[in-house]
Amino acid sequence: MTDSKYFTTTKKGEIFELKAELNSDKKEKKKEAVKKVIASMTVGKDVSALFPDVVNCMQTDNLELKKLVYLYLMNYAKSQPDMAIMAVNTFVKDCEDPNPLIRALAVRTMGCIRVDKITEYLCEPLRKCLKDEDPYVRKTAAVCVAKLHDINAQLVEDQGFLDTLKDLISDSNPMVVANAVAALSEIAESHPNSNLLDLNPQTINKLLTALNECTEWGQIFILDCLANYMPRDDRESQSICERVTPRLSHANSAVVLSAVKVLMKFMEMLPKDLDYYGTLLKKLAPPLVTLLSAEPELQYVALRNINLIVQKRPEILKHEMKVFFVKYNDPIYVKLEKLDIMIRLASQANIAQVLAELKEYATEVDVDFVRKAVRAIGRCAIKVEQSAERCVSTLLDLIQTKVNYVVQEAIVVIKDIFRKYPNKYESVIATLCENLDSLDEPEARAAMIWIVGEYAERIDNADELLESFLEGFHDESTQVQLQLLTAIVKLFLKKPTETQELVQQVLSLATQDSDNPDLRDRGYIYWRLLSTDPVAAKEVVLAEKPLISEETDLIEPTLLEELICHIGTLASVYHKPPSAFVEGSRGVQHKRIPARAGSGESAESSDVGQSGPSEAPPAVIPSQGDLLGDLLNLDLAPPTATVPSVQPSMQMGAMDLLGGGLDSLMGAGLGVAPAAMPTALGIAPAVGGGLGDLFDLGGGVGMPTGSYVAPKTVWLPAMKAKGLEISGTFARRGGIIQMDLTLTNKAMSVMTDFAIQFNRNSFGLAPAGPLQVLTPLSPNQTIDVSLPLSTSGPVMKMEPLNNLQVAVKNNIDVFYFSCQYPLSLIFVEDGKMERQVFLATWKDIPNDNEAQFQIKDIHLNSDAASNKLQGSNIFTIAKRTVEGQDMLYQSVKLTNGIWVLAEMRIQTGNPNYTVNENQETWRML
Amino acid sequence: MIGGLFIYNHKGEVLISRVYRDDIGRNAVDAFRVNVIHARQQVRSPVTNIARTSFFHVKRSNIWLAAVTKQNVNAAMVFEFLYKMCDVMTAYFGKISEENIKNNFVLIYELLDEILDFGYPQNSETGALKTFITQQGIKGQHQTKEEQSQITSQVTGQIGWRREGIKYRRNELFLDVLESVNLLMSPQGQVLSAHVSGRVVMKSYLSGMPECKFGMNDKIVIDKQGKGGTTDEPGKSELGGSGKQSIAIDDCTFHQCVRLSKFDSERSISFIPPDGEYELMRYRTTKDIILPFRVIPLVREVGRTKLEVKVVIKSNFKPSLLAQKIEVRIPTPLNTSGVQVICMKGKAKYKASENAIVWKIKRMAGMKESQISAEIELLPTNDKKKWARPPISMNFEVPFAPSGLKVRYLKVFESKLNYSDHDVIKWVRYIGRSGIYETRC
């Protein structure tokens, strides 16, 4: 055997020579030639020119030659559809061959020839093969249905192949059953609503029987299919579990993981006090541990899954900490995953061992791994209070090693420990300060600065330390700049006498010399706070901080549930739902865990289960980031409103509206005099407009209740943006403001790297996350994105009030446009005012703050109107009828805490509404 | 499902490329080469996502096998399949090397066509495959109808791993209990973790379709029998050596021939074995492990340029048994300039290329002790980073099972042919090897 020679023919005129050889009379020569062709094809050479010659070799009784020709056909048929027809006859003939191996080969290959014209000829032979007497042919035909469905779904349905496939689930041969299940599952995925895989107790029983008999692969197909089934009650659930558990001893890890998936899912339905439930839990641990002695790649898959399982049911593996200890020779990807699980399993019982291990790891070579190990020590301190002291001393030891990245990582986690246990470990500050000079990473610098600011009163030379950072202020990253600003303000509030100069310096650096809006804003806030009311400033800046909790890294529960349903698959490896990485409709269905049985006799027990203390799901801060991600995002980021230093900016927002912007706003109103009361504020015109908007739609019939969403309009035409067209609208869904965008690429080149930013606006709207355009946008492609918005961004009065200026960036350029959002967007859900409060407030509002206008041509009665308005978070507080007129009293609350009260007079029969509005602001502090 | 399968040599040249799904294009071949094989950084994950296409890879010597998909496939299955593919190839043509792959590319394509259909793995037992795919081209032209249907029923059947009509003049079977004992010990001699992962490998040369039953000193089974009436107390009577009566098995997995439901309900291991060599079961134990060797390290830093290392090893098993192929590997710092070694037994050498002192002893009886001492000269460096002190590792082979596992019986029943359990010649052998056997220093 020296087939390797075929790889080395690189002569000129090769194709020509091959052609001659292919047409040779000698069989051997022909076969040689076809082999050469296949070798060239493998290497990537284009040998499609030989198509007719190769196909001519198909008519042979030499099976090896035939297989080679088929291989060629599968590769090139698509590029030569007309010639591929030439092969049809042979296929049809082969499907009648007395040798089952040849029949199967023909039906297998036919399905791989993706030429529309051929598929028609395929149907008859396929139908025969599906009913072939030989199981080998049937199991091949079953898969062929899935292939054909992929080419032409309609054809498969029309020809009734789906029913035949369903019948095969009852086949006597286990492998036929397994392949039929695989094919049906795949087809069902592209028809989410069809009842194709009609799983009922009878079919489930058939599947469970076949499970014991088929190949390891077949077992996987069946188990994966079973996982989609919803048992009717806990009994059925238990009986399935009982029949699946033996699979946990299978040598094939994929069989084990798929069995684990079925068990994890169905276990949810079992009452917790059932003996069997406990038995099942115990049975799950050993096989999971055994997975760790598999090959490293499988270990990786197993560890990613165990990470999910440990979050869902920590009790399963709580005694198995040791098996997750890292081995010196483990590949890095296994090491990192083990570390993750070690932290999840750390508890008071095993913390001593864990710490000893982590300390070892911190001296390893791989930088990522060492960093993660150091972070893990910090996490242990926060998770297990009793160990905090030992963790801190371990961290101090590590700092003494002077290894740069170890020191930096240690400082970042010590900051977290301070946040968890204030006033306990501050004695170590001196040691930290010694390492100030060696810090070159922004995160570590920011952490150190935070520590210095927070404990300024205990550090004698805090001012010198901070001053030293100030020298290179402009070269620092934003994170460090913001931290430095806050730290110096803290220092000033603690030691006002010596640091006045310093604070002025930093404030002017931040406000005058910086391009960063966040920094400028924070600077201004501090400046005003300090200049107007130092006592308030102290209360705000030096306020007691909330303690941080330990479990900030858990996967969000709904996602976790979905991922549990995908155990063993790529989704569980990526820790992302399939829709995040699978194109098209496939796999986008969300799977969920069945609910525990809550009816009949099991009701009692399930109640017990649910009230069990261990069952309380831990409070979760949704973050999918790295397990060891920073606990406290001390810097930047408006979403972290828990950090007190950000709060002032929100207050500032309110003040801004009250102050500067106020007069003009009022003036621009309906000729209303400037507000007499400092707390009152008019926003009449815009509100009026908004209401008008809402009622404009009133004419439409059957508008669903719920916030109205305007159809998308084009905001940025393609001509203005080098081919990028953006249209969009705003919506408020379940209390979350969303900007729905449609991006269309009308240019010739691919667009990537999308990002979005808003200018300051009246209500502080800002993107709450990055613009999620994950894939490059190819020419003529359109993508819909939903961008969640927060209202904690910087505030500036706009004209008109609901104007929003947006900048969108992609790999080509930055584009600007502006759009207007409906005012109802910022009406919050809890805007229903107490009746008494409403009455009192109504009276207190001076007439000056009142505006009145009419809305015309609305054919609605008062109830319908009130319902409709409620959908937009305008709440009817009271209704009364005076002289044939319905009076509605309504309240609205804006995101910035401003209340708007309205009286609406509806004259029955008269399509004109009169609205009296009163505004009142409450400062939400 | 699997969309395509590629095999590359170490340079990233494609040796085999088979595409099963339409969503995988030729560019996937290049994407993997560029992003993984030619990547500057060391591989950080066996699963790589490039432009919404997922690549799974395993490496055998310098050959890369990559499976590609765009769907949410069963990841564990893909890796299991890749390993299986390697097993099948090895069973057909030996070592997986560029040379062998090129020499057998037609065969590989044939196999790939057979064991993966539209990305779904099909029967991949070599026993079955070899009945109709051979290196000498395909059988099939000259088969009788009976032979053909026998092949197809075997490939799809319940006992896909064994064909009918096997005949041996001498019915014989070999059982190898192969264990690897793993240890991580602290410098102070505290066991941080220890476990045995064992395999029972069987070579069977039996006629017909024999029904086998395998028994070992599994604690659960022994305890159950003890309750059943026999008087001897399990775990108490026999002492010394590896003579434990029963062992606690943490977990075990079985070859697909074993009836799992029967094991689950009765804990009995019954099966119809494949012909020839295969792995019957794998198991793991963590309790009462006999650690064949104890390593006692002593490292002393003498100033900045010198290290003194002393390592004592003690063998801990019956004096009548002999351990073999003993090797102790003592890591040395990167800035080592010279080493002087003195050892009582065996040979020791400093291997600069491996940054270690390697001490080899051919044989050592139980309950003995030996020692090595070394002086390591260091070059002065200004490298701030401390030497990581990797653990001292050990290799050895001992003729017993460190877990204490004992084969109690293997019964063979073949009702149709006229041979009985007594006629079968049975051999059992125990080999304990070091897995990762490390002591920190």
Side-chain angles (χ1 to χ4, degrees):
Chain A
M1 292 295 286
T2 46
D3 279 356
S4 60
K5 65 171 186 271
Y6 302 117
F7 280 90
T8 49
T9 50
T10 47
K11 284 174 282 176
K12 264 191 177 175
E14 190 192 356
I15 298 275
F16 184 74
E17 230 168 76
L18 280 173
K19 212 177 177 86
E21 283 175 41
L22 284 170
N23 292 315
S24 154
D25 295 334
K26 288 186 192 132
K27 263 189 191 169
E28 269 314 299
K29 201 149 198 188
K30 257 189 188 176
K31 202 156 103 185
E32 296 281 288
V34 177
K35 280 190 185 178
K36 279 183 203 163
V37 172
I38 301 288
S40 310
M41 193 174 86
T42 299
V43 194
K45 274 185 224 160
D46 183 16
V47 282
S48 59
L50 296 167
F51 199 89
D53 309 280
V54 177
V55 171
N56 272 337
C57 303
M58 199 172 159
Q59 290 278 11
T60 170
D61 48 2
N62 182 320
L63 198 52
E64 190 185 10
L65 180 57
K66 188 170 264 203
K67 282 194 177 180
L68 288 172
V69 175
Y70 281 179
L71 190 64
Y72 179 91
L73 261 178
M74 287 187 260
N75 250 297
Y76 287 113
K78 224 171 129 188
S79 56
Q80 313 254 348
D82 294 328
M83 294 219 247
I85 298 268
M86 288 161 53
V88 165
N89 255 335
T90 321
F91 283 132
V92 175
K93 216 176 87 196
D94 279 0
C95 281
E96 307 271 343
D97 196 280
N99 185 342
L101 291 171
I102 292 187
R103 293 203 296 276
L105 177 65
V107 79
R108 188 164 65 213
T109 312
M110 281 190 318
C112 297
I113 296 181
R114 304 181 60 91
V115 176
D116 263 337
K117 283 184 205 158
I118 288 192
T119 50
E120 297 163 31
Y121 299 99
L122 224 158
C123 292
E124 273 324 297
L126 177 59
R127 196 186 315 282
K128 267 186 210 151
C129 288
L130 279 168
K131 304 215 158 119
D132 199 285
E133 53 169 19
D134 194 294
Y136 184 76
V137 180
R138 290 202 301 277
K139 71 111 183 161
T140 312
V143 177
C144 189
V145 176
K147 292 179 189 171
L148 190 59
H149 186 271
D150 194 40
I151 307 169
N152 190 342
Q154 196 57 46
L155 186 71
V156 169
E157 278 169 48
D158 295 347
Q159 295 278 337
F161 285 141
L162 295 181
D163 293 323
T164 324
L165 202 53
K166 274 192 215 167
D167 293 342
L168 287 184
I169 289 192
S170 316
D171 199 280
S172 58
N173 183 293
M175 197 160 174
V176 177
V177 177
N179 276 2
V181 166
L184 276 173
S185 304
E186 176 166 344
I187 295 171
E189 247 176 54
S190 52
H191 292 276
N193 300 320
S194 74
N195 204 15
L196 199 56
L197 250 175
D198 173 30
L199 294 176
N200 54 45
Q202 285 77 40
T203 43
I204 292 293
N205 201 25
K206 278 177 203 154
L207 293 184
L208 286 169
T209 312
L211 188 62
N212 287 323
E213 293 164 352
C214 59
T215 65
E216 45 194 328
W217 314 116
Q219 297 186 18
I220 300 170
F221 306 153
I222 292 179
L223 287 168
D224 284 351
C225 172
L226 267 181
N228 292 328
Y229 177 64
M230 290 276 177
R232 289 162 309 168
D233 52 31
D234 49 330
R235 281 207 190 143
E236 191 186 5
S237 187
Q238 178 175 348
S239 91
I240 295 176
C241 286
E242 276 165 359
R243 293 177 72 176
V244 167
T245 33
R247 298 300 120 197
L248 294 175
S249 307
H250 202 287
N252 187 315
S253 311
V255 175
V256 176
L257 268 178
S258 290
V260 169
K261 164 164 59 190
V262 174
L263 296 174
M264 283 292 286
K265 216 179 142 183
F266 289 8
M267 218 159 84
E268 285 293 305
M269 286 188 72
L270 299 177
K272 284 218 158 176
D273 53 348
L274 199 70
D275 284 346
Y276 181 70
Y277 180 84
T279 322
L280 198 54
L281 273 184
K282 277 198 202 100
K283 277 194 175 168
L284 275 171
L288 288 173
V289 173
T290 298
L291 292 176
L292 297 184
S293 48
E295 289 83 347
E297 292 87 4
L298 267 174
Q299 277 188 52
Y300 174 73
V301 173
L303 285 165
R304 294 293 285 173
N305 280 287
I306 288 172
N307 199 330
L308 298 172
I309 293 167
V310 165
Q311 288 184 60
K312 181 78 190 157
R313 300 206 169 275
E315 63 270 32
I316 294 178
L317 287 166
K318 67 178 173 208
H319 299 304
E320 304 288 349
M321 171 62 92
K322 274 189 181 176
V323 301
F324 297 103
F325 284 179
V326 170
K327 291 183 193 139
Y328 190 71
N329 301 352
D330 281 336
I332 182 68
Y333 49 82
V334 169
K335 283 184 178 175
L336 293 172
E337 292 307 317
K338 280 188 174 173
L339 202 48
D340 256 355
I341 295 168
M342 278 174 70
I343 306 164
R344 293 217 192 279
L345 291 177
S347 68
Q348 201 183 336
N350 57 26
I351 193 74
Q353 271 184 323
V354 173
L355 265 183
E357 281 293 307
L358 292 176
K359 204 175 165 183
E360 286 288 333
Y361 304 162
T363 60
E364 284 227 28
V365 191
D366 190 285
V367 177
D368 283 350
F369 180 60
V370 171
R371 281 174 178 272
K372 205 164 179 175
V374 176
R375 287 212 170 195
I377 297 174
R379 305 260 325 145
C380 285
I382 289 161
K383 199 170 172 192
V384 185
E385 187 161 0
Q386 292 80 356
S387 75
E389 195 155 346
R390 297 175 64 176
C391 293
V392 171
S393 74
T394 309
L395 287 170
L396 282 180
D397 286 352
L398 290 173
I399 289 176
Q400 298 303 346
T401 64
K402 302 282 177 196
V403 179
N404 191 276
Y405 54 85
V406 174
V407 174
Q408 309 212 35
E409 211 62 51
I411 286 182
V412 172
V413 294
I414 285 182
K415 168 210 69 189
D416 292 343
I417 295 176
F418 284 167
R419 282 298 307 275
K420 172 78 181 176
Y421 310 108
N423 305 317
K424 229 172 162 184
Y425 300 109
E426 282 72 16
S427 53
V428 307
I429 290 176
T431 322
L432 302 185
C433 290
E434 285 164 22
N435 291 289
L436 214 60
D437 302 331
S438 65
L439 307 180
D440 52 12
E441 289 161 21
E443 207 185 353
R445 287 172 84 86
M448 192 64 221
I449 293 168
W450 182 85
I451 293 171
V452 174
E454 188 66 19
Y455 299 101
E457 68 272 29
R458 305 185 199 203
I459 306 171
D460 295 334
N461 60 343
D463 48 345
E464 284 170 36
L465 293 177
L466 293 176
E467 200 169 356
S468 69
F469 280 104
L470 208 53
E471 282 160 21
F473 190 77
H474 290 296
D475 303 327
E476 299 284 1
S477 73
T478 317
Q479 189 182 8
V480 180
Q481 290 176 335
L482 285 166
Q483 214 40 255
L484 196 52
L485 172 60
T486 307
I488 292 179
V489 171
K490 282 182 189 165
L491 173 69
F492 171 72
L493 290 167
K494 288 175 178 177
K495 301 180 182 173
T497 44
E498 311 122 65
T499 55
Q500 199 147 12
E501 210 170 296
L502 194 60
V503 83
Q504 269 169 358
Q505 203 182 337
V506 77
L507 286 174
S508 80
L509 276 172
T511 52
Q512 285 158 27
D513 301 344
S514 170
D515 297 334
N516 185 309
D518 289 331
L519 188 63
R520 270 201 317 260
D521 277 2
R522 200 187 280 192
Y524 278 125
I525 292 156
Y526 284 142
W527 204 321
R528 281 193 208 184
L529 259 176
L530 292 174
S531 54
T532 42
D533 191 353
V535 180
K538 212 164 184 165
E539 272 170 27
V540 169
V541 178
L542 301 180
E544 201 152 301
K545 286 151 210 71
L547 294 184
I548 53 175
S549 69
E550 65 237 45
E551 303 286 5
T552 49
D553 52 355
L554 292 173
I555 293 176
E556 190 247 332
T558 46
L559 178 64
L560 181 63
E561 293 227 333
E562 191 180 351
L563 292 179
I564 288 286
C565 300
H566 286 293
I567 283 179
T569 68
L570 265 180
S572 71
V573 173
Y574 293 146
H575 289 186
K576 282 179 190 159
S579 51
F581 59 91
V582 174
E583 270 166 14
S585 62
R586 272 195 182 149
V588 183
Q589 297 154 270
H590 291 276
K591 297 189 176 173
R592 59 185 189 85
I593 289 179
R596 204 170 292 271
S599 62
E601 56 184 332
S602 64
E604 205 178 57
S605 45
S606 70
D607 280 346
V608 174
Q610 276 158 0
S611 60
S614 63
E615 189 58 5
V620 167
I621 297 168
S623 89
Q624 295 179 37
D626 184 65
L627 169 59
L628 290 165
D630 197 356
L631 285 169
L632 257 189
N633 205 349
L634 278 173
D635 41 65
L636 291 170
T640 49
T642 45
V643 183
S645 50
V646 182
Q647 277 173 0
S649 81
M650 291 168 65
Q651 289 184 341
M652 197 57 210
M655 274 167 63
D656 223 6
L657 262 182
L658 289 170
L662 185 63
D663 295 1
S664 56
L665 195 58
M666 295 296 284
L670 301 169
V672 184
M677 276 168 67
T679 47
L681 168 70
I683 46 164
V687 173
L691 282 177
D693 270 355
L694 288 173
F695 277 101
D696 276 347
L697 284 134
V701 206
M703 189 181 100
T705 46
S707 179
Y708 163 65
V709 178
K712 284 181 180 171
T713 49
V714 175
W715 287 338
L716 181 69
M719 282 169 57
K720 279 194 181 168
K722 301 185 182 165
L724 176 68
E725 185 183 85
I726 299 181
S727 55
T729 184
F730 292 90
R732 188 177 179 94
R733 299 186 181 103
I736 294 159
I737 303 176
Q738 279 179 327
M739 185 178 195
D740 294 343
L741 294 168
T742 302
L743 309 178
T744 310
N745 182 354
K746 297 203 169 167
M748 300 301 285
S749 59
V750 175
M751 295 180 177
T752 55
D753 304 325
F754 286 93
I756 194 162
Q757 224 170 22
F758 293 174
N759 196 358
R760 289 195 258 182
N761 53 67
S762 317
F763 293 96
L765 285 178
L771 191 61
Q772 298 282 346
V773 184
L774 295 172
T775 44
L777 198 60
S778 33
N780 278 326
Q781 199 189 340
T782 295
I783 189 169
D784 286 324
V785 216
S786 223
L787 180 72
L789 305 182
S790 71
T791 51
S792 51
V795 177
M796 185 173 86
K797 205 221 132 200
M798 298 299 293
E799 193 60 60
L801 202 65
N802 56 345
N803 194 18
L804 182 66
Q805 295 175 341
V806 183
V808 168
K809 181 192 90 83
N810 62 10
N811 57 333
I812 297 166
D813 205 341
V814 183
F815 310 107
Y816 303 92
F817 62 88
S818 68
C819 51
Q820 296 187 357
Y821 48 91
L823 219 63
S824 60
L825 201 64
I826 52 156
F827 295 174
V828 296
E829 273 74 7
D830 60 347
K832 186 158 187 162
M833 201 181 249
E834 285 288 339
R835 238 180 134 133
Q836 266 73 24
V837 184
F838 184 91
L839 280 172
T841 321
W842 185 266
K843 280 183 203 147
D844 284 344
I845 299 173
N847 288 344
D848 294 341
N849 283 4
E850 197 171 300
Q852 193 182 82
F853 43 87
Q854 279 201 341
I855 303 167
K856 288 182 181 168
D857 287 309
I858 293 163
H859 304 274
L860 277 175
N861 65 23
S862 60
D863 286 344
S866 138
N867 277 341
K868 198 146 286 172
L869 288 170
Q870 180 143 3
S872 301
N873 295 332
I874 300 169
F875 298 90
T876 305
I877 308 294
K879 180 184 157 183
R880 75 190 159 128
T881 312
V882 183
E883 303 163 351
Q885 289 183 338
D886 283 339
M887 312 276 277
L888 295 177
Y889 292 90
Q890 291 164 319
S891 75
V892 173
K893 189 181 159 193
L894 308 188
T895 49
N896 53 8
I898 295 172
W899 287 90
V900 178
L901 310 182
E903 177 192 52
M904 187 182 288
R905 197 179 307 147
I906 303 168
Q907 210 154 7
T908 327
N910 181 349
N912 291 350
Y913 282 18
T914 306
V915 181
N916 273 316
E917 289 211 22
N918 278 318
Q919 295 88 30
E920 146 91 341
T921 63
W922 286 18
R923 288 226 261 154
M924 305 303 293
L925 294 178
Chain B
M1 280 308 111
I2 297 173
L5 207 138
F6 310 130
I7 302 180
Y8 303 83
N9 65 9
H10 65 289
K11 285 184 255 174
E13 291 163 355
V14 201
L15 304 178
I16 298 287
S17 116
R18 175 74 159 91
V19 172
Y20 293 94
R21 296 265 171 161
D22 202 35
D23 53 4
I24 303 298
R26 181 86 200 172
N27 52 2
V29 180
D30 304 323
F32 183 76
R33 179 190 14 250
V34 173
N35 289 290
V36 180
I37 301 182
H38 290 169
R40 283 207 196 105
Q41 222 197 355
Q42 180 201 359
V43 177
R44 299 303 266 197
S45 160
V47 185
T48 323
N49 193 323
I50 308 162
R52 288 207 161 204
T53 309
S54 298
F55 294 81
F56 302 75
H57 75 265
V58 300
K59 241 186 130 180
R60 289 290 179 269
S61 61
N62 54 10
I63 297 293
W64 298 75
L65 279 92
V68 195
T69 184
K70 285 207 165 188
Q71 288 164 284
N72 181 31
V73 296
N74 188 321
M77 185 187 79
V78 176
F79 280 123
E80 282 284 3
F81 177 79
L82 288 174
Y83 302 143
K84 195 71 177 193
M85 181 69 206
C86 293
D87 290 350
V88 171
M89 289 197 290
T90 315
Y92 268 94
F93 52 75
K95 194 172 167 276
I96 296 177
S97 64
E98 180 169 356
E99 180 73 18
N100 278 347
I101 288 174
K102 280 186 170 173
N103 272 335
N104 292 286
F105 83 97
V106 173
L107 171 75
I108 295 174
Y109 274 125
E110 227 174 276
L111 288 170
L112 281 177
D113 196 42
E114 183 59 43
I115 60 179
L116 208 53
D117 191 3
F118 202 41
Y120 290 105
Q122 304 292 306
N123 193 339
S124 47
E125 286 296 314
T126 29
L129 290 171
K130 280 190 170 172
T131 58
F132 65 105
I133 298 178
T134 68
Q135 270 168 303
Q136 282 73 46
I138 302 144
K139 281 187 188 171
Q141 280 93 322
H142 315 292
Q143 286 161 335
T144 63
K145 201 157 184 224
E146 285 74 51
E147 279 170 337
Q148 287 164 2
S149 74
Q150 203 188 355
I151 291 170
T152 58
S153 75
Q154 197 208 327
V155 173
T156 60
Q158 288 186 29
I159 307 164
W161 53 87
R162 190 181 180 93
R163 65 190 167 90
E164 302 244 10
I166 298 172
K167 280 213 176 68
Y168 288 101
R169 210 159 52 83
R170 224 158 86 117
N171 289 301
E172 205 171 11
L173 65 86
F174 301 84
L175 276 177
D176 279 340
V177 176
L178 307 171
E179 295 198 338
S180 93
V181 52
N182 297 276
L183 169 75
L184 185 61
M185 194 176 254
S186 77
Q188 292 75 34
Q190 191 193 0
V191 177
L192 296 174
S193 75
H195 74 272
V196 167
S197 54
R199 307 188 295 145
V200 178
V201 175
M202 184 171 171
K203 269 182 237 152
S204 72
Y205 304 104
L206 303 169
S207 312
M209 291 299 245
E211 182 67 53
C212 297
K213 208 172 166 193
F214 175 72
M216 54 185 177
N217 57 341
D218 176 0
K219 193 165 187 301
I220 298 176
V221 177
I222 302 273
D223 286 359
K224 220 196 279 176
Q225 286 173 349
K227 272 175 212 157
T230 38
T231 45
D232 58 44
E233 293 257 302
K236 275 198 176 172
S237 49
E238 205 179 310
L239 285 170
S242 57
K244 270 180 299 171
Q245 273 268 301
S246 62
I247 60 161
I249 295 175
D250 286 26
D251 189 37
C252 44
T253 59
F254 296 99
H255 185 268
Q256 59 169 324
C257 67
V258 176
R259 295 187 186 89
L260 294 178
S261 37
K262 208 156 179 190
F263 178 75
D264 193 59
S265 57
E266 303 163 24
R267 215 162 161 98
S268 75
I269 302 164
S270 60
F271 53 95
I272 295 171
D275 194 41
E277 184 172 340
Y278 75 102
E279 190 180 288
L280 174 64
M281 73 177 280
R282 279 183 187 225
Y283 57 92
R284 182 167 44 84
T285 72
T286 47
K287 287 200 187 70
D288 304 323
I289 291 167
I290 305 152
L291 296 170
F293 285 95
R294 164 90 204 271
V295 177
I296 305 156
L298 198 75
V299 180
R300 210 159 63 91
E301 289 177 36
V302 188
R304 282 176 56 84
T305 57
K306 203 169 148 192
L307 272 180
E308 276 182 14
V309 181
K310 201 174 107 178
V311 177
V312 180
I313 60 167
K314 285 182 180 173
S315 59
N316 176 36
F317 44 89
K318 275 192 206 160
S320 58
L321 299 174
L322 274 183
Q324 293 187 62
K325 300 177 192 166
I326 302 149
E327 185 185 293
V328 181
R329 187 169 282 263
I330 305 161
T332 55
L334 295 172
N335 55 337
T336 301
S337 62
V339 177
Q340 270 125 40
V341 215
I342 310 161
C343 58
M344 286 157 50
K345 221 177 161 204
K347 282 179 190 163
K349 241 189 206 166
Y350 167 61
K351 294 197 173 167
S353 59
E354 295 165 42
N355 290 311
I357 300 166
V358 181
W359 176 26
K360 286 182 181 171
I361 305 170
K362 274 191 186 145
R363 262 181 290 277
M364 189 166 170
M367 306 317 262
K368 288 271 189 325
E369 190 177 313
S370 193
Q371 151 175 350
I372 185 173
S373 44
E375 275 186 23
I376 303 170
E377 309 271 343
L378 303 175
L379 290 171
T381 55
N382 48 8
D383 195 0
K384 262 195 204 161
K385 212 171 135 187
K386 226 180 69 181
W387 178 46
R389 280 205 192 184
I392 295 174
S393 60
M394 223 191 139
N395 288 313
F396 53 79
E397 200 178 293
V398 288
F400 60 88
S403 69
L405 182 129
K406 283 266 186 308
V407 176
R408 289 171 58 222
Y409 56 80
L410 197 140
K411 292 177 196 152
V412 182
F413 310 94
E414 165 55 273
S415 47
K416 284 182 198 150
L417 299 172
N418 56 347
Y419 71 94
S420 72
D421 186 40
H422 299 293
D423 303 329
V424 181
I425 307 157
K426 301 168 191 169
W427 306 87
V428 184
R429 174 166 69 160
Y430 299 90
I431 300 173
R433 291 200 183 95
S434 52
I436 294 164
Y437 203 84
E438 293 177 339
T439 307
R440 289 180 177 155
C441 56

